[in-house]
Amino acid sequence: MNFEVNDVSRGDICLKIEYKHVRVLGEALAASAPNEPSYVIYLNSLNNWEVPPEDALTENEKQDVISAIRKYFQDHGSIIDFE
């Protein structure tokens, strides 16, 4: 699956694929050095689709979301941490 990152805010990241949307909670960080993370993702928030509401994500879908977020931050020269 090829998720597209739609929005990155200081408290969440929104992604979509086709008509489905997912929101992952996280936190923007003020990195004091280039080798420090600039964002942390809270993996325990990655459970359900926003649209369609309350449909659970499969393990494969969760891994695809994580990969899309990781690629987005790598493409922007930033480091991300997953908790």
Side-chain angles (χ1 to χ4, degrees), residues 4 6 9 17 22 24 38 43 53-54 56 58 70 79 81 83:
E4 176 185 339
N6 276 354
S9 72
I17 185 167
V22 65
V24 185
S38 60
L43 292 174
E54 300 187 25
T58 67
R70 184 173 281 125
I79 298 173
D81 193 17
E83 290 185 359

Side-chain angles (χ1 to χ4, degrees), residues 52-69:
E54 300 187 25
D55 280 1
L57 286 156
T58 67
E59 286 305 314
N60 285 341
E61 290 168 336
K62 289 179 184 181
Q63 290 305 314
D64 290 342
V65 168
I66 291 167
S67 294
I69 293 170

Side-chain angles (χ1 to χ4, degrees), residues 4-10 12-16 24 39 72:
E4 176 185 339
V5 175
N6 276 354
D7 185 53
V8 177
S9 72
R10 63 182 177 170
D12 64 16
I13 297 177
C14 296
L15 302 93
K16 75 173 188 171
V24 185
Y39 208 97
Y72 176 87

